[in-house]
Amino acid sequence: PFPVGFRTIRGSDAKTKKVRTMIDEVLFLRHGRTEANEKGIYIGKTDLPLSEAGKAQLKELYETHEYPKVQKVYTSPLERAVQSAEILFPDRELTEVDDLREMDFGIFEGLKAEDLVNLDSYKKWLKGGLDNPPPNGESLRNMMVRCYTALNAIILDMMNEGVTHAGVMTHSGILMNMMSCFGLPKMKPMEFACPVGHGYEIMVTAQMWQQSYCFEILGKIPGYQAVGYNDAGEALFDYGSDDGDS
């Protein structure tokens, strides 16, 4: 049986397997764009599908890049993540993990930064801090607890099911904070910003996780390099000559 918060939504073929002590590679990826993303609107817990442009962008990535093969994909239950997993990993088993969902932005959900800039509550939230949530929203501390809970459940499930290569489809905030908090080498969350359909490949062993709650970051999927940030604080990337995201 899966840990609490797990739901297999496609391709279950359960068999009794020996518990492994070694896990090979896991891919952590950011879901595709929604219409709200394109308009600069805050969406966290709000469940929106991919936009048509977002679907097309991921399909182009799938056709122009070779993603490492996986046996199973764990995904946020939000529709935009499930749809992204279905596009980038067709015919793979998908399992929803509730704790992979994006942060709850509270009263800021559905609004643009320009609509909030004069609110004292918004200014306070922008100062950051583990225990400084948006009004009626989720704190960074609570989100990090969820990140640990999700990772721990996924790693245990992989060991129990004999899975050696898996994908994880989640959200930008979750991905950046997971890499920063549990990944080696250590970097700030914003240094892990990545475009949609991109992310990181990691390696973890049972010993690493049980003793230190950490994993080794192997590299970026597919390759790219942040070259700066725009006025909105979004990372800008140099894809080189092999640009599947144009």
Side-chain angles (χ1 to χ4, degrees):
F2 293 125
V4 174
F6 272 51
R7 293 182 298 279
T8 296
I9 58 176
R10 187 177 69 190
S12 178
D13 183 21
K15 296 180 181 179
T16 302
K17 302 179 179 69
K18 294 181 179 179
V19 175
R20 301 176 71 252
T21 57
M22 180 75 177
I23 295 175
D24 291 328
E25 293 153 6
V26 187
L27 312 179
F28 287 86
L29 295 168
R30 179 186 176 189
H31 69 75
R33 296 180 71 84
T34 68
E35 289 186 4
N37 295 142
E38 293 161 2
K39 296 176 181 177
I41 293 173
Y42 280 106
I43 55 167
K45 69 175 183 179
T46 304
D47 198 2
L48 296 178
L50 296 176
S51 66
E52 291 305 312
K55 292 178 184 177
Q57 186 178 30
L58 290 185
K59 289 176 181 177
E60 182 181 359
L61 277 173
Y62 178 74
E63 292 171 356
T64 58
H65 292 73
E66 185 175 356
Y67 286 81
K69 303 298 182 183
V70 301
Q71 298 157 282
K72 185 174 183 177
V73 178
Y74 302 90
T75 179
S76 158
L78 298 183
E79 186 175 5
R80 56 193 183 270
V82 174
Q83 289 179 326
S84 299
E86 290 174 338
I87 292 172
L88 293 180
F89 300 102
D91 304 320
R92 291 295 90 186
E93 178 182 332
L94 300 184
T95 296
E96 293 182 358
V97 182
D98 288 343
D99 284 320
L100 288 174
R101 67 189 184 279
E102 182 61 290
M103 174 183 278
D104 180 354
F105 292 115
I107 67 171
F108 303 152
E109 294 264 343
L111 298 174
K112 297 181 180 180
E114 62 195 58
D115 301 323
L116 300 167
V117 67
N118 293 320
L119 292 180
D120 289 340
S121 58
Y122 185 65
K123 295 175 184 178
K124 177 177 180 291
W125 179 62
L126 289 180
K127 293 179 181 178
L130 288 174
D131 299 301
N132 181 29
N136 301 328
E138 182 179 22
S139 69
L140 182 58
R141 185 184 301 276
N142 186 73
M143 187 185 77
M144 291 311 304
V145 171
R146 284 200 292 110
C147 287
Y148 164 76
T149 302
L151 282 169
N152 193 58
I154 288 168
I155 291 169
L156 290 177
D157 186 65
M158 290 181 68
M159 288 192 289
N160 289 335
E161 294 294 310
V163 174
T164 59
H165 294 75
V168 174
M169 185 65 68
T170 188
H171 308 266
S172 180
I174 297 292
L175 188 153
M176 290 191 296
N177 281 283
M178 276 186 171
M179 295 299 109
S180 179
C181 186
F182 304 104
L184 297 174
K186 288 294 183 184
M187 297 187 340
K188 296 179 180 178
M190 282 302 297
E191 294 181 90
F192 289 106
C194 62
V196 298
H198 294 68
Y200 295 88
E201 184 174 18
I202 69 102
M203 185 276 293
V204 61
T205 67
Q207 184 177 16
M208 286 171 65
W209 186 250
Q210 291 168 357
Q211 293 184 356
S212 304
Y213 299 113
C214 67
F215 50 73
E216 180 183 353
I217 300 171
L218 300 179
K220 300 169 182 176
I221 302 297
Y224 58 86
Q225 182 176 0
V227 295
Y229 297 91
N230 62 19
D231 292 339
E234 297 174 328
L236 303 175
F237 297 89
D238 178 9
Y239 295 90
S241 59
D242 182 21
D243 182 0
D245 196 34
S246 59

